[in-house]
Amino acid sequence: MLLIHCPWCGARDEAEFRYGGQAHVDRPPDPNAVDDREWGEYLFVRDNPRGRFSERWVHSAGCRRWFDVVRDTATNEMSAEVPSRSGRR
Amino acid sequence: MTSPNRLDATVRPGRIDRTRRLRFTFDGTELHGHPGDTLASALLAEGRTEVTTSVHRGRPRGIVAADRTEPNALVQLHGDCPEPMLPATRVELRDGLVAESLSGIGWVGDRPDTAVHDKKYVHADVVIVGAGPSGLAAALSAGRSGARVFLVDEQAELGGRLLDGHERIDGAAATDWIARAVRELAEIPEVRVLTRATAVGCYDHDYLLVAEHRTDHLDTVGPHQSQQRLWHVRARRVVLATGAHERPVVFEDNDRPGIMLAAAVRSYLNRHAVLPGRDAVVFTTSDSAYSTALDLLAVGASVPALVDTRPQPPAHLVDQVEAAGGRVHPGSTVISTKGHDRVRGARVTELDEQGCLSGIPYEVDCDLLAVCGGWSPVVHLFGQAGGSLRWDRTAAGFVPESSGTHLPRVIGSARATHDLAGSLAQGLAAGAEAATACGFRIAAPRVPPTSGDRPNSRPRPLWLVPGMTKPPEQWDRHFVDLQRDATVADVWRAIGAGMRSVEHVERYTTISTGQDRGKTSGVNAIGVIADALMVDSPGEVGTTTFRPPYAPVRFALMAGRERGHLHEPVRTTSMHSWHEAAGAEFENVGQWKRPRYYPRPGEDMDAAVQRECRAARTGVAMQDVSTLGRIEIVGSDAPEFLDRVCTSGFAELAVGRARYGMMCGADGMVLDDGVSMRLAADRYLMSTTTGGAAGVLEWLEEWLRTEWSELDVYCTSVTEQWAAVAVVGPRSRDVVARLAPDLDVSSAGFGFMEFRETELYNGIPARISRISFSGELAFEINVARWYGLATWEAVAAAGADHGITPYGAETMHVLRAEKGFVVVGQDTDGTVTPLDLGMDRLVSRHKDFIGKRSFARQDTARTDRKQLVGLLPLERERLLPEGVHLVEPDVPLRPPVPMLGHVTSSYRSAALDRTFALALIRDGRRRIGDVLHAPFEGSSTAVEVTRPVFYDEEGARRDGVEHG
Amino acid sequence: MTVLNTVEPATGLASLRRSPLADRAAEFAASSADGLRGVRLSEEAFLTQVNLRVPPESPALLAGLERELGLALPHRPNSVVGDERDAVLWLGPDEWLVIAPEGRADRVVSRARTAMADSVGSSVDVSADRTTVRLAGPVSRDVLEKVCSLDLHPRAFGAGQCARTLVGRVRVALWQVGAEPAYRLLVHCSFAGYLADLLLDAMAEFTHA
């Protein structure tokens, strides 16, 4: 049971959260301006590193807010919890 | 009548209560013991050396250990809740206990277990596992700081191995020091101590599971008292003081009853006042077994040979043993034993400098062989937490290597610090450090002086004594894992088959896969593998992965109270009590209980559903639709937001009107659907599917937070603010007119997909909409949830003279399928676009929305994708099972059969007087009119492919039919 | 039509309401116990609950809201301002729950909308969405610790604090209202029966000792 630090509610059990996959995968601003290959990468292609990985969680059973976390996929050490936002801003 | 192997109290008092005598039955024989005994110590006291036969080879086996490492003496407990495969060393003796020996698995009862198992969550600053000298010391120093401390130990008494020996701390017996520590800990309010509690799992972020036995030792148990409790422990710092396990040595015929671990013999002697044998050969690789030899000699047993692998054991130890009448055989090894149901003698020979056998073997008679092959630190929890290990040559064991803030701190014997003074010092320091790290600053206390300590000079490790004659492939009486009956020959067979990794060898040979998880066999197996592979040390072989649980856990404990009616959360609507009283059959939709149909006496589901369908199509019927998800979407950008997330347009929807909408994922696949109402210019009420409500809300929030945070939109779940009743059928207008006297319900005054705020005749404020999921004239009455039951009863009363019929989800499904309305999650599966469903008119050409771009992807744009179609079996009564596949009619039914698609919905229709189905079929729309086959139940059913609308395709019934 | 007119709207509306745990009051009382090892379970039905969403970066708007509502909004996470009668619970960085005696929802919503007139934000009546379960008594924390993984030790959670969390597998807003301790569990109505079963089961070792 991971202990996840919600940027707002504080540390809570993993059971209160849902995983949202890789963070900072920005939707192309004009989807029609990209070709199938680029669009396909936006939809389906994600990093899968051993080590530090930026990912998105939502505090489903708590404040219901989305936030980003850097997690080491080898040790599950988590840090840098911040509210989610698009990488463009 | 005294037990034959029980020592007189004047010789050894032991930690048993001789004033009480406990009766127990083992394999049908009545035997006796005392409080403080385990089943194993009582059996040994009664002279029961052989307790079982081995699982595959049928060889006699006896008690080996005094703790949970016991590989042989597994027993079956009888009683109200029979329990199999418990080590006799872990069963506390109680009066009336009935046990039998086991060879292999046991049995469970045929009645439900009535014992209560529960769980509890606890948070602590410092969690300490193990209350031997180092763990107790850590608890004392951490506890004095004011930190929240949680100390667990799996034995009934605190003190660990100190209870087995004669050490002195601070000038007094170690047991006095323990008693003082126990008293002090009990007086610190923030210290909690659990005994009979085994830490079975250690997980990320300092999370532990601890299984506590609460009542096994009690004579009576209250009805709500939990027998076992699973503690979920969140720590800020974890200190592991889990000690070390003594391991045996692998030699020929090393499995005979009477061959025991040396420390276990000492524990039985001192703790239980039991002498397991009169003439003992002690075989050791290190100092610790000298204590066993001295204690044996002290109580009058003979030690004809103390066989030490080391050529020069510490002289003072040798002197002590020989002064007491024993004889030390340095630089020697036991090579085999004789006897059958009991060891009768050991063959001994010399070891040369390289560790090869030399000299002339000789025999020493004995009825007890006490063996110490070395000490393996108990690093299981550390390994589970992700810590890595290294082979320590000096200590001859795997010890914790890595450390870091995310890993538990390991102290005492668990990190191969076997001397008492060192263990106390490490414990006091670790407790103070952990507390300080949690903000409770404290210095480590003075380390008390100790004496009578266990000597601790360098061991000469040995895990495998070669056979005298045959090659290792044939050493099939050199047992590596007693419980699995696995031998050196088995390991060589695995190596010969190409196995190299310890993980593979252990799976191939089943070594370490028994109930004891290889606690006595694991390291020896690694040593044997190292020899077979001719590598330098066990460290090069490495260990298997440590996975929870450390010790077996009952399934009942894992389930806890989440069984029976508490197994899964149950959600009910405000009208549930009415449905129950009406005899509804329920179905689970997610966690919701929804009425499926309301059978009348003598009706089966088909008959009830047909009757309910007829009522909805020809008269009037009512359904509880409270379970649909509802989200209030508010803000000046709400219209824009809905336009972006729904396939159809909502910005131009007039206030007071409703519209059906679909949501797609970014990949263009249907995600959810529902009707949304525009309550005000900046306010919508979106409805979702019953199961999709929570997911849709998170989906909307994700887009608002991460992509479109510039939008002024707020989403609030109001699913349960509302209760809703659908009133359906040609007569529904009459019923609603009576319910809402102020409302103009005429088709001119109240159009389709409009809603009105009104009051029911009884004053209940209501929002009534004209939406239909059946194709019939229909209304949906929404009221505050607390008025739900009153409203349902009012609808039933208002429709009574029209014979209003309550209907359930099954009927709803038939009605909607007749109209070709899909159910997301039934007719779709995450690979279906709105275009595949033929819903082109709901897909806006004029605006962008989530998923639209994906419709133009090469694969999504194919015109031969699986598409929604209708199916009519040529035999009108034949009902297709949902999920059945469809194939070309002439295709041979030999695998691989090319599949065209599958049935998603299939029902009997009262309106059509036949069966029908919906299906997703490759290139389906072009196949309309074709005949396909649905092979199932051994035959093939011919079906005609049709358009997916079976009833009132022109929509004539939506506004009702005129009647006088 | 006679059957339809037996209820007088003016006096009858309250009698038409039914809270999710209305028919279990006697069972709760029978399963509760007083004394040093006591714990009591009850339902507090029909409290006014209004969900507020306000961007916290608009201090003027927040101040206006507080003026209009006559209540301060707690800014510290997991905290409550007010008392058991009138209170505001922190639910998230831009989300609050106003609690008031029953029947006040329309007033609270309209005042909030007045305050937010030309600004962003939302106020939604959710009074019927959740009911309130009260768990009180010297061992109520021990009971909750059997079903809730939150750290409820007085060093971590005390009177005047709240948290949206899980009890069993049910989402609740947990609010400690007193030091006894006493808790309110705001639970979605459909889960109320299951939550009550779960709590009664956890209480049994104390109340049927």
Side-chain angles (χ1 to χ4, degrees), chain B residues 243-287:
Chain B
H245 290 152
E246 196 174 29
R247 52 177 188 263
V249 177
V250 180
F251 49 84
E252 188 175 77
D253 292 324
N254 61 333
D255 65 330
R256 297 198 199 284
I259 303 177
M260 299 177 67
L261 291 167
V265 170
R266 190 174 190 228
S267 179
Y268 287 120
L269 263 184
N270 295 330
R271 202 187 290 203
H272 303 289
V274 171
L275 181 60
R278 296 287 185 282
D279 301 297
V281 169
V282 177
F283 175 28
T284 189
T285 60
S286 65
D287 291 351

XYZ file of all heavy atoms in Angstrom, chain B residues 243-287:
346
model
N 15.986 -11.381 14.371
C 16.801 -12.496 14.823
C 17.369 -13.334 13.691
O 17.456 -12.890 12.545
N 17.750 -14.557 14.036
C 18.373 -15.447 13.058
C 17.810 -16.851 13.245
O 17.359 -17.205 14.334
C 19.889 -15.470 13.251
N 17.800 -17.596 12.159
C 17.380 -18.997 12.212
C 18.617 -19.901 12.131
O 19.456 -19.719 11.253
C 16.444 -19.336 11.048
C 15.102 -18.705 11.168
N 14.327 -18.381 10.073
C 14.381 -18.326 12.256
C 13.190 -17.837 10.482
N 13.201 -17.801 11.786
N 18.653 -20.890 13.022
C 19.729 -21.865 12.943
C 19.439 -22.800 11.775
O 18.292 -23.153 11.517
C 19.782 -22.664 14.250
C 21.064 -23.431 14.434
C 21.086 -24.075 15.810
O 20.002 -24.381 16.324
O 22.180 -24.257 16.361
N 20.482 -23.176 11.049
C 20.221 -24.090 9.938
C 20.913 -25.428 10.184
O 21.938 -25.492 10.882
C 20.632 -23.496 8.601
C 22.025 -22.962 8.524
C 22.368 -22.465 7.113
N 23.782 -22.148 7.074
C 24.265 -20.925 7.226
N 23.462 -19.892 7.403
N 25.565 -20.730 7.207
N 20.338 -26.501 9.634
C 20.935 -27.821 9.801
C 22.090 -28.008 8.825
O 22.510 -27.063 8.150
C 19.795 -28.776 9.471
C 18.869 -27.995 8.589
C 19.101 -26.541 8.877
N 22.638 -29.203 8.790
C 23.691 -29.547 7.842
C 23.173 -30.721 7.013
O 22.485 -31.599 7.538
C 24.998 -29.945 8.561
C 26.061 -30.376 7.557
C 25.515 -28.790 9.411
N 23.510 -30.709 5.725
C 23.063 -31.782 4.845
C 24.104 -32.901 4.847
O 25.250 -32.694 4.453
C 22.847 -31.255 3.408
C 22.380 -32.393 2.497
C 21.832 -30.109 3.411
N 23.733 -34.062 5.391
C 24.613 -35.241 5.313
C 23.725 -36.453 5.095
O 22.486 -36.338 5.092
C 25.492 -35.360 6.564
C 24.751 -35.233 7.881
C 24.121 -36.335 8.443
C 24.701 -34.002 8.551
C 23.440 -36.211 9.654
C 24.033 -33.888 9.760
C 23.395 -34.994 10.316
N 24.351 -37.596 4.931
C 23.578 -38.797 4.613
C 22.691 -39.191 5.806
O 23.172 -39.221 6.941
C 24.521 -39.949 4.257
C 23.799 -41.161 3.726
C 24.795 -42.234 3.258
O 25.373 -42.930 4.103
O 24.975 -42.331 2.038
N 21.428 -39.468 5.515
C 20.465 -39.836 6.574
C 20.382 -38.776 7.672
O 20.368 -39.081 8.867
C 20.813 -41.208 7.162
C 20.593 -42.329 6.151
O 19.620 -42.215 5.361
O 21.390 -43.289 6.135
N 20.331 -37.522 7.216
C 20.253 -36.404 8.161
C 18.805 -36.131 8.583
O 18.515 -35.090 9.147
C 20.858 -35.135 7.546
C 20.117 -34.696 6.281
O 19.516 -35.533 5.599
N 20.164 -33.422 5.964
N 17.886 -37.056 8.279
C 16.473 -36.779 8.542
C 15.879 -37.657 9.639
O 14.680 -37.666 9.825
C 15.664 -36.970 7.255
C 15.676 -38.416 6.761
O 16.675 -39.115 7.019
O 14.680 -38.847 6.146
N 16.718 -38.425 10.369
C 16.116 -39.366 11.312
C 15.553 -38.633 12.534
O 16.123 -37.629 12.983
C 17.166 -40.373 11.777
C 17.720 -41.239 10.673
C 18.405 -42.470 11.272
N 19.319 -43.097 10.335
C 18.927 -43.848 9.305
N 17.645 -44.037 9.087
N 19.824 -44.397 8.505
N 14.465 -39.164 13.105
C 13.952 -38.581 14.347
C 15.044 -38.576 15.408
O 15.796 -39.563 15.539
C 12.812 -39.528 14.732
C 12.349 -40.113 13.423
C 13.604 -40.244 12.593
N 15.135 -37.479 16.153
C 16.204 -37.333 17.136
C 17.327 -36.456 16.630
O 18.214 -36.094 17.396
N 17.301 -36.122 15.352
C 18.265 -35.145 14.824
C 17.585 -33.787 14.895
O 16.567 -33.559 14.251
C 18.696 -35.472 13.385
C 19.291 -36.887 13.331
C 19.661 -34.419 12.869
C 19.687 -37.329 11.936
N 18.097 -32.940 15.738
C 17.442 -31.656 15.994
C 18.443 -30.520 15.867
O 19.654 -30.726 15.890
C 16.861 -31.650 17.425
C 15.814 -32.721 17.656
S 15.205 -32.738 19.368
C 14.338 -31.192 19.458
N 17.903 -29.305 15.748
C 18.760 -28.127 15.769
C 19.287 -27.926 17.195
O 18.551 -28.129 18.170
C 17.988 -26.898 15.306
C 17.628 -26.936 13.820
C 16.605 -25.861 13.483
C 18.878 -26.771 12.953
N 20.544 -27.541 17.300
C 21.183 -27.461 18.612
C 20.496 -26.424 19.494
O 20.287 -26.653 20.694
C 22.661 -27.124 18.440
N 20.143 -25.268 18.928
C 19.510 -24.229 19.742
C 18.112 -24.654 20.161
O 17.614 -24.240 21.216
C 19.463 -22.912 18.967
N 17.468 -25.486 19.331
C 16.143 -25.968 19.697
C 16.247 -26.887 20.906
O 15.440 -26.827 21.836
C 15.501 -26.697 18.514
N 17.273 -27.750 20.905
C 17.477 -28.638 22.052
C 17.643 -27.804 23.322
O 17.043 -28.068 24.364
C 18.724 -29.525 21.823
C 19.088 -30.272 23.100
C 18.470 -30.489 20.669
N 18.413 -26.732 23.207
C 18.656 -25.879 24.364
C 17.376 -25.173 24.808
O 17.098 -25.016 25.992
C 19.735 -24.850 24.002
C 20.235 -24.081 25.196
C 21.401 -23.188 24.828
N 21.995 -22.643 26.030
C 22.288 -21.344 26.180
N 22.052 -20.487 25.205
N 22.829 -20.919 27.302
N 16.590 -24.758 23.847
C 15.331 -24.090 24.169
C 14.385 -25.044 24.903
O 13.778 -24.678 25.913
C 14.678 -23.587 22.872
O 13.457 -22.963 23.150
N 14.281 -26.296 24.419
C 13.423 -27.266 25.105
C 13.933 -27.531 26.521
O 13.164 -27.640 27.469
C 13.337 -28.570 24.307
C 12.482 -28.422 23.051
C 13.005 -28.646 21.786
C 11.146 -28.047 23.149
C 12.240 -28.500 20.644
C 10.356 -27.894 22.010
C 10.910 -28.116 20.760
O 10.138 -27.963 19.654
N 15.257 -27.620 26.655
C 15.847 -27.863 27.976
C 15.506 -26.753 28.955
O 15.007 -27.004 30.050
C 17.377 -27.890 27.836
C 18.098 -29.212 27.718
C 19.602 -28.962 27.681
C 17.751 -30.073 28.922
N 15.805 -25.527 28.568
C 15.748 -24.419 29.512
C 14.370 -23.801 29.622
O 13.961 -23.361 30.680
C 16.765 -23.345 29.120
C 18.188 -23.867 29.233
O 18.460 -24.735 30.069
N 19.080 -23.369 28.398
N 13.645 -23.724 28.501
C 12.366 -23.043 28.550
C 11.244 -23.994 28.971
O 10.321 -23.607 29.661
C 12.037 -22.427 27.186
C 11.033 -21.304 27.303
C 10.574 -20.785 25.966
N 11.619 -20.053 25.251
C 11.353 -19.163 24.307
N 10.108 -18.886 23.981
N 12.323 -18.559 23.671
N 11.351 -25.247 28.515
C 10.250 -26.182 28.778
C 10.646 -27.317 29.726
O 9.814 -28.169 30.017
C 9.750 -26.778 27.463
C 9.300 -25.745 26.481
N 8.143 -25.019 26.648
C 9.854 -25.295 25.320
C 7.996 -24.169 25.639
N 9.030 -24.321 24.820
N 11.902 -27.327 30.190
C 12.377 -28.386 31.096
C 12.167 -29.755 30.474
O 11.681 -30.686 31.115
C 11.684 -28.283 32.458
N 12.507 -29.872 29.196
C 12.353 -31.134 28.477
C 13.726 -31.575 27.974
O 14.457 -30.788 27.366
C 11.377 -30.990 27.282
C 11.397 -32.247 26.424
C 9.972 -30.692 27.778
N 14.070 -32.814 28.239
C 15.328 -33.374 27.745
C 15.000 -34.351 26.622
O 14.516 -35.450 26.880
C 16.051 -34.100 28.894
C 17.397 -34.731 28.540
C 18.387 -33.675 28.058
C 17.946 -35.499 29.739
N 15.274 -33.953 25.391
C 14.814 -34.792 24.270
C 15.631 -36.077 24.090
O 15.185 -36.967 23.382
C 14.975 -33.879 23.046
C 15.242 -32.522 23.579
C 15.847 -32.697 24.940
N 16.824 -36.190 24.699
C 17.618 -37.416 24.564
C 18.623 -37.505 25.694
O 18.983 -36.494 26.308
N 19.082 -38.717 25.959
C 19.996 -38.899 27.094
C 21.465 -38.885 26.659
O 22.354 -38.511 27.408
C 19.722 -40.256 27.779
C 18.339 -40.366 28.399
C 18.274 -39.501 29.669
N 17.014 -39.633 30.387
C 15.872 -39.055 30.034
N 15.809 -38.293 28.956
N 14.787 -39.227 30.763
N 21.697 -39.363 25.428
C 23.076 -39.444 24.928
C 23.148 -38.641 23.630
O 22.605 -39.070 22.617
C 23.463 -40.903 24.677
C 23.341 -41.719 25.944
O 24.084 -41.426 26.906
O 22.472 -42.620 25.983
N 23.806 -37.476 23.721
C 23.721 -36.534 22.616
C 25.062 -36.358 21.915
O 26.084 -36.107 22.568
C 23.226 -35.183 23.129
N 25.044 -36.518 20.608
C 26.159 -36.033 19.809
C 25.798 -34.625 19.371
O 24.667 -34.380 18.914
C 26.408 -36.936 18.578
C 27.391 -36.276 17.612
C 26.932 -38.292 19.027
N 26.703 -33.679 19.591
C 26.490 -32.300 19.150
C 27.416 -32.058 17.973
O 28.604 -32.356 18.041
C 26.769 -31.302 20.287
C 26.606 -29.873 19.789
C 25.850 -31.576 21.476
N 26.849 -31.555 16.880
C 27.606 -31.351 15.651
C 27.499 -29.880 15.294
O 26.387 -29.370 15.100
C 27.012 -32.246 14.554
C 27.631 -32.056 13.187
C 28.945 -31.629 13.012
C 26.887 -32.345 12.050
C 29.493 -31.473 11.750
C 27.435 -32.193 10.771
C 28.729 -31.759 10.631
N 28.640 -29.191 15.246
C 28.534 -27.741 15.054
C 29.603 -27.207 14.124
O 30.642 -27.848 13.894
C 28.604 -27.014 16.412
O 28.290 -25.636 16.227
C 30.020 -27.123 17.012
N 29.341 -26.016 13.621
C 30.287 -25.288 12.791
C 30.716 -23.997 13.480
O 31.450 -23.207 12.904
C 29.663 -24.933 11.431
O 28.507 -24.117 11.685
C 29.235 -26.182 10.683
N 30.174 -23.746 14.686
C 30.462 -22.478 15.360
C 30.335 -22.672 16.867
O 30.144 -23.783 17.351
C 29.495 -21.388 14.877
O 28.181 -21.719 15.258
N 30.420 -21.551 17.614
C 30.455 -21.617 19.073
C 29.117 -21.954 19.714
O 29.070 -22.497 20.814
C 30.909 -20.259 19.651
C 32.372 -19.971 19.347
O 33.053 -20.888 18.852
O 32.800 -18.831 19.596
